[in-house]
Structures are given as structure tokens and as C-alpha cells.
């Protein structure tokens, strides 16, 4: 058995041990809470990364659709330009057959001058250059 003179030291050590156990339990609880929080944040981060990947894929798909639309419109414009040239050539041929070989083509070209033209310079001016 311990000596009576050691009783205060033993009591102090028991108190210190009890306090240390309490702090250890508090630290373990805090560690579990921090671990749970980190796990939750990891899951949230992965969810956000998934959203970003989905948005990037959607943006790529939209860009591709826009590129496809522009290509399609360019092809249609080129086709319509060719069709217009063909119709003008056919009209010229009919005029020649009918003996009306006046300069109707010039009149057609003058009509083009009155139509707004694309803004190639980007300055808002769609008038034709002289």
C-alpha cells in the first residue's frame, strides 16, 4: 500500500490523469468531427468538379452546335449565291435569245448597291464602297 505521505501526490496524479483522459476524449471527438468535415468537403468538392465537367461538356457541345450552324449557314449562303448567279446567267441568255441584249446586268448590279452590305470593317457602316 502507498505511504500516507504520498497520498497528496497520488491524488494529484489521479486528477491529472482524469484531466488528461478528458482532454484526450475531447481531442478524439474534435478529430472525428474534423475528419467528418473533411470527408464532407471532399464529397462536396467532387460534386462541384462533376458540375464543372458537365458545364464544360455542355459548353463544348453548344460551341460545336454553333460551329455546325455557322457552317450550314455559310453553305446555304454559298448555294444561294451560286443559284443567284445561275439565274442571272439564265436571264442574260434569255435576253440574248429575245434580242434584248441591253445592259440589264448593270441594272441588276445597281440594285445590289442599294441593299445593305455586310459590315466587314466592324464599324457599323454597311454602305458599299464606291
Amino acid at each position: 500500500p502507498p505511504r500516507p505521505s504520498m497520498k497528496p501526490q497520488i491524488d494529484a496524479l489521479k486528477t491529472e490523469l482524469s484531466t488528461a483522459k478528458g482532454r484526450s476524449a475531447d481531442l478524439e471527438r474534435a478529430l472525428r468531427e474534423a475528419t467528418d468535415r473533411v470527408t464532407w468537403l471532399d464529397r462536396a468538392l467532387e460534386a462541384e468538379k462533376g458540375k464543372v465537367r458537365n458545364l464544360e461538356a455542355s459548353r463544348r457541345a453548344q460551341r460545336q452546335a454553333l460551329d455546325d450552324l455557322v457552317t450550314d449557314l455559310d453553305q446555304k449562303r454559298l448555294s444561294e449565291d451560286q443559284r443567284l448567279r445561275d439565274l442571272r446567267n439564265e436571264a442574260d441568255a434569255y435576253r440574248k435569245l429575245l434580242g434584248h441584249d441591253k445592259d440589264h446586268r448593270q441594272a441588276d448590279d445597281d440594285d445590289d448597291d442599294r441593299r445593305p452590305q455586310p459590315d466587314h470593317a466592324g464599324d457599323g457602316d454597311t454602305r458599299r464602297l464606291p
Side-chain angles (χ1 to χ4, degrees):
R3 290 181 278 157
S5 63
M6 302 228 8
K7 175 126 174 69
Q9 290 174 334
I10 291 173
D11 287 343
L13 288 173
K14 283 182 180 178
T15 301
E16 192 177 326
L17 178 61
S18 177
T19 302
K21 284 181 181 179
R23 280 191 307 236
S24 175
D26 290 345
L27 290 172
E28 286 178 10
R29 188 172 34 260
L31 178 61
R32 275 193 309 277
E33 289 171 2
T35 301
D36 290 347
R37 179 78 175 146
V38 167
T39 300
W40 182 87
L41 288 171
D42 281 344
R43 288 181 184 147
L45 177 62
E46 286 305 313
E48 291 302 313
K49 285 180 180 178
K51 289 178 187 176
V52 168
R53 284 189 296 272
N54 288 341
L55 287 171
E56 288 172 344
S58 175
R59 184 195 59 79
R60 281 191 303 273
Q62 288 174 348
R63 180 61 195 191
Q64 185 61 51
L66 181 61
D67 288 346
D68 292 347
L69 179 61
V70 167
T71 299
D72 186 47
L73 290 174
D74 280 343
Q75 290 298 323
K76 286 180 180 178
R77 182 188 54 81
L78 291 173
S79 177
E80 288 299 314
D81 287 349
Q82 183 61 48
R83 184 170 171 258
L84 182 59
R85 281 190 298 277
D86 292 346
L87 287 172
R88 283 183 176 164
N89 289 337
E90 189 176 334
D92 285 345
Y94 281 125
R95 284 186 196 108
K96 285 181 183 176
L97 282 175
L98 296 174
H100 299 285
D101 196 14
K102 296 179 186 170
D103 195 4
H104 292 285
R105 176 63 65 102
Q106 181 60 42
D108 288 345
D109 289 343
D110 289 343
D111 288 343
D112 287 345
D113 289 341
R114 288 188 289 273
R115 290 190 201 119
Q117 298 300 311
D119 180 16
H120 295 295
D123 59 4
D125 186 2
T126 58
R127 295 174 292 162
R128 275 214 171 170
L129 296 176

